[in-house]
């Protein structure tokens, strides 16, 4: 039997597709009031689709997590609509892959701004409501690169390591208000982002002797996973639902890997 989140309001950023949509489906199935947000207007269609499949208490809001005014309005909308903010999942994230001498300052800053500053801004706004309620769950998306940096992505590794630091610091500050703050580190997950990773890393890592074709690099990396498969958004969503549940009430400041055993820590 799954978790029940009826009468609970869950805000999810980066919810248009991939891991974010997978998490949204998990909470929709559990009866939660959902506020889905994304930089892309695709989130409107995602919300409409989930309303048809699950229930009516699902709304969408197009927002850039680096824009303070839009983030403030996102959480205000959630509270005005449903009367509480019980769970906030900071999932919006971007990646680019490039050699260090070709990477621009703007490219570096953009990734940090979305992946790290955006997480902090959303946590800050959600926590304002949770403090008044004296309870809530903040759940942040880090990455396997939050544990171990990888080649050609120093900005992404820095951004995701930063998420873990934010998580631990806020967990200490917000514990007195019965707010838990945790994070998760997805590994190789079957999403559009990993289609991009497979293509661009494959191009850069190819040599005259070995030219990676579509899917070959990802398949090679999957062979290094103890469970011998890539993850699915549903694999991540199960952990997130647990962290949002009462079963996780005594867990805070933790970061959990969801990667089939690729990184063990």
């Amino acid at each position: 039997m799954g978790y029940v989140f009826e009468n609970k309001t869950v805000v999810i950023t980066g919810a248009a597709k991939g891991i974010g949509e997978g998490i949204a489906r998990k909470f929709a199935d559990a009866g939660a009031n959902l506020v889905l947000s994304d930089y892309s207007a695709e989130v409107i269609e995602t919300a409409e689709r989930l309303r048809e499949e699950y229930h009516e208490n699902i709304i969408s809001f197009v927002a850039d997590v680096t824009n303070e005014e839009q983030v403030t309005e996102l959480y205000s909308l959630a509270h005005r609509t449903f009367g509480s903010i019980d769970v906030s999942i900071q999932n919006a994230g971007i990646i680019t892959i490039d050699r260090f001498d070709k990477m621009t300052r703007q490219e570096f800053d953009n990734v940090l701004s979305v992946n790290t500053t955006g997480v902090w801004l959303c946590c800050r706004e959600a926590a304002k409501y949770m403090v008044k309620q004296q309870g809530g769950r903040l759940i942040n998306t880090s990455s396997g690169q939050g544990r171990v940096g990888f080649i050609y992505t120093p900005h992404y590794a820095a951004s995701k390591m930063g998420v873990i630091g934010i998580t631990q610091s806020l967990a200490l500050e917000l514990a007195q208000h019965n707010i838990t703050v945790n994070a998760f580190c997805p590994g190789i997950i079957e999403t559009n982002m990993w289609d991009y990773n497979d293509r661009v890393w494959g191009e850069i890592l190819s040599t005259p002797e070995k030219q990676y074709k579509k899917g070959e690099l990802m398949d090679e990396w999957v062979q290094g996973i103890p469970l011998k498969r890539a993850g699915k958004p549903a694999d991540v969503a199960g952990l997130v639902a647990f962290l949002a549940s009462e079963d996780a009430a005594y867990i805070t400041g933790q970061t959990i890997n969801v990667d089939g055993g690729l990184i063990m820590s």
Side-chain angles (χ1 to χ4, degrees):
M1 184 176 179
Y3 296 109
V4 176
F5 288 97
E6 290 181 2
N7 301 317
K8 299 291 186 181
T9 301
V10 180
V11 180
I12 307 170
T13 67
K17 53 191 175 183
I19 288 174
E21 182 182 356
I23 293 170
R25 287 184 172 279
K26 186 73 172 180
F27 282 98
D29 188 53
N33 304 322
L34 283 181
V35 183
L36 308 184
S37 182
D38 201 284
Y39 181 79
S40 168
E42 288 181 58
V43 73
I44 299 171
E45 297 176 3
T46 301
E48 290 176 351
R49 189 165 59 249
L50 295 186
R51 278 196 296 271
E52 292 175 358
E53 294 181 34
Y54 295 99
H55 57 77
E56 288 297 314
N57 291 343
I58 301 172
I59 64 173
S60 60
F61 184 76
V62 178
D64 176 353
V65 295
T66 70
N67 184 307
E68 290 191 62
E69 291 183 359
Q70 292 179 16
V71 170
T72 298
E73 178 57 27
L74 167 63
Y75 288 93
S76 175
L77 172 66
H79 194 267
R80 291 197 311 269
T81 304
F82 297 117
S84 68
I85 297 175
D86 303 287
V87 181
S88 183
I89 300 158
Q90 288 61 242
N91 178 67
I94 60 173
I95 189 173
T96 62
I97 302 167
D98 213 341
R99 299 178 187 277
F100 82 94
D101 55 344
K102 294 183 179 180
M103 186 177 294
T104 65
R105 170 66 184 271
Q106 182 177 3
E107 184 178 359
F108 192 97
D109 287 349
N110 286 346
V111 169
L112 268 291
S113 184
V114 174
N115 295 0
T116 314
T117 306
V119 165
W120 172 71
L121 283 172
C122 290
C123 284
R124 185 187 70 178
E125 291 307 308
K128 290 177 182 178
Y129 295 94
M130 293 178 180
V131 167
K132 293 177 182 177
Q133 298 165 183
Q134 285 298 290
R137 301 280 193 270
L138 296 174
I139 303 171
N140 301 325
T141 304
S142 182
S143 165
Q145 287 208 60
R147 304 292 198 186
V148 180
F150 196 60
I151 195 169
Y152 306 131
T153 50
H155 53 340
Y156 187 77
S159 74
K160 292 302 186 177
M161 291 180 185
V163 170
I164 295 175
I166 289 170
T167 298
Q168 293 175 357
S169 181
L170 289 179
L172 291 170
E173 184 173 357
L174 296 173
Q176 63 181 312
H177 301 292
N178 194 35
I179 300 168
T180 64
V181 191
N182 293 291
F184 59 95
C185 290
I188 299 175
I189 308 295
E190 294 176 355
T191 61
N192 288 344
M193 179 180 282
W194 267 97
D195 290 341
Y196 167 84
N197 293 349
D198 173 74
R199 176 176 61 82
V200 179
W201 261 317
E203 290 172 358
I204 299 178
L205 293 172
S206 287
T207 65
E209 294 76 26
K210 173 62 177 179
Q211 295 288 317
Y212 285 103
K213 298 178 182 177
K214 181 178 179 180
E216 287 186 344
L217 182 61
M218 189 164 170
D219 287 344
E220 186 177 295
W221 285 347
V222 165
Q223 290 309 304
I225 298 173
L227 290 181
K228 300 299 181 187
R229 70 173 178 88
K232 300 181 182 298
D235 293 315
V236 178
L239 170 63
V240 174
F242 164 70
L243 290 174
S245 75
E246 286 304 309
D247 286 348
Y250 199 55
I251 299 174
T252 195
Q254 305 305 309
T255 301
I256 303 173
N257 299 345
V258 193
D259 61 5
L262 182 62
I263 298 171
M264 297 190 182
S265 62

